[in-house]
Amino acid sequence: MDKKEIRFAVLPSAGFGTRFLPFTKVVPKVLALAYDRPLIHFAVLEALAAKIENIIIVISEGQESIKQYFDSDPQTEKNMRDKGLGIIAEEFKSFREKLNFVYVTQEAQLGLGHAVLSCEQLLVDEPFAVILPDDLLINPQPELIRMINAWRQHQGNYVAVEQISSEDAPNYGVVEIATKQHNESRFKAIKGMVEKPVIGAAPSNLGVIGRYVLMPNIFDAIKVTEPGAVKEIQLTDAINACIENVATYAYLIEGVRHDCGTPHGLLRASIELSSQSK
Ligand code: G1P
């Protein structure tokens, strides 16, 4: 029987955060502050807005501080309320009341596909979302909600995309659009995907950004995916391998995406969030 709800979100968070050294010597990258909240806090807020109940955070050994961040801490929450940060204390309260957190340790950093595969046991027959915490999306209407609504109409694999320049293509998964159309214009059926194409070889100007809705048979594809770009097991390659059998759509986001995987992108996101909060 087809599942009609997305009940799980996978948040890959195990990266070394090389671009954030020396900070990441002691603090995982996803705990870096985008203005007033850590990146992973925004990712969880997004999952909550999309009514996803189960959060699977993929961590690496030594990243227990991510778990501590979400663990109940009545004293700090009381301090927050006392200091006028009740709104953030409320967010933690709703995380506790509405979400189950599970932590999976990725034994080796073999790529995004491998990080997702490490959650397989928790996702038997479950379609699921993937949220990359270092892609911060700013839109009062979370893009993931639109993706899940579309998925309910037409099940399949979904990837969020934005327009990119040809010089930037080597940093992205890039989709190839099919002529067959989804019935909503921001959604385009895709017939291929390439991870980190060299300049000039990208099949379109639509680069994948870190939001996915995936069918559970993705795991079979990841298992037979060889290391690809940057010698990692790429989620893009596994999605591409399913395209013949699983309808696959790109969703062109409406809002702004900040690549918080770089200090510069994180700073830009912080500036935008700070200007919105005034
Ligand atoms: C990952 C994905 C890539 C996507 C990008 C978006 O790459 O593999 O397809 O375009 O995230 O942020 P990474 O940035 O981890 O190299």
Side-chain angles (χ1 to χ4, degrees):
M1 197 186 71
D2 275 354
K3 290 262 168 59
K4 290 289 180 201
E5 289 307 324
I6 300 294
R7 306 188 308 134
F8 287 81
V10 172
L11 278 53
S13 304
F16 289 129
T18 314
R19 292 193 188 98
F20 284 86
L21 282 168
F23 176 75
T24 43
K25 196 165 167 271
V26 285
V27 185
K29 178 179 69 174
V30 296
L31 292 179
L33 271 189
Y35 181 51
D36 61 353
R37 290 168 178 77
L39 288 170
I40 198 161
H41 189 116
F42 288 104
V44 171
L45 281 175
E46 201 177 313
L48 187 65
K51 300 201 164 28
I52 291 172
E53 297 145 33
N54 300 287
I55 308 290
I56 305 175
I57 303 183
V58 183
I59 59 174
S60 56
E61 217 173 299
Q63 289 190 327
E64 288 70 27
S65 52
I66 297 175
K67 178 172 181 304
Q68 278 162 16
Y69 181 80
F70 291 107
D71 280 351
S72 166
D73 180 357
Q75 186 56 50
T76 309
E77 284 174 38
K78 180 179 179 303
N79 290 347
M80 284 191 230
R81 290 181 207 282
D82 294 347
K83 305 276 182 205
L85 292 173
I87 186 171
I88 299 186
E90 280 305 306
E91 287 170 7
F92 280 102
K93 186 162 171 262
S94 46
F95 291 169
R96 255 197 326 276
E97 288 173 356
K98 298 185 180 151
L99 301 173
N100 303 311
F101 287 85
V102 183
Y103 299 86
V104 170
T105 303
Q106 190 184 2
E107 303 298 338
Q109 316 277 298
L110 301 180
L112 181 57
H114 181 260
V116 171
L117 182 60
S118 62
C119 305
E120 184 186 17
Q121 306 292 318
L122 298 165
L123 294 168
V124 176
D125 289 333
E126 283 285 345
F128 59 98
V130 178
I131 302 176
L132 304 190
D134 56 11
D135 275 336
L136 186 74
L137 306 189
I138 301 184
N139 185 340
Q141 308 277 305
E143 316 279 359
L144 192 57
I145 296 180
R146 299 260 320 250
M147 293 173 76
I148 292 173
N149 286 342
W151 175 88
R152 285 198 192 101
Q153 306 296 318
H154 299 272
Q155 292 202 359
N157 288 333
Y158 285 73
V159 298
V161 296
E162 69 172 357
Q163 285 180 349
I164 57 167
S165 68
S166 49
E167 295 73 44
D168 275 343
N171 299 318
Y172 289 84
V174 182
V175 301
E176 182 178 0
I177 303 296
T179 43
K180 187 177 127 230
Q181 288 303 308
H182 192 283
N183 59 6
E184 232 205 287
S185 61
R186 285 199 168 269
F187 291 85
K188 314 231 176 272
I190 60 180
K191 62 176 182 185
M193 295 173 75
V194 190
E195 182 66 24
K196 305 193 187 337
V198 295
I199 291 180
S204 75
N205 66 345
L206 297 175
V208 176
I209 54 160
R211 301 296 180 277
Y212 306 78
V213 178
L214 299 173
M215 301 298 283
N217 61 3
I218 193 70
F219 294 116
D220 296 333
I222 301 173
K223 279 181 211 157
V224 295
T225 297
E226 298 287 337
V230 295
K231 300 193 173 58
E232 292 184 348
I233 298 172
Q234 296 291 350
L235 184 58
T236 301
D237 292 343
I239 299 171
N240 189 46
C242 295
I243 277 182
E244 293 283 305
N245 304 314
V246 180
T248 306
Y249 301 100
Y251 163 63
L252 181 60
I253 60 163
E254 218 171 38
V256 177
R257 170 254 184 178
H258 289 284
D259 175 5
C260 295
T262 68
H264 195 207
L266 182 63
L267 180 61
R268 275 195 302 239
S270 297
I271 291 168
E272 184 170 343
L273 289 166
S274 104
S275 67
Q276 282 185 353
S277 79
K278 282 184 187 136

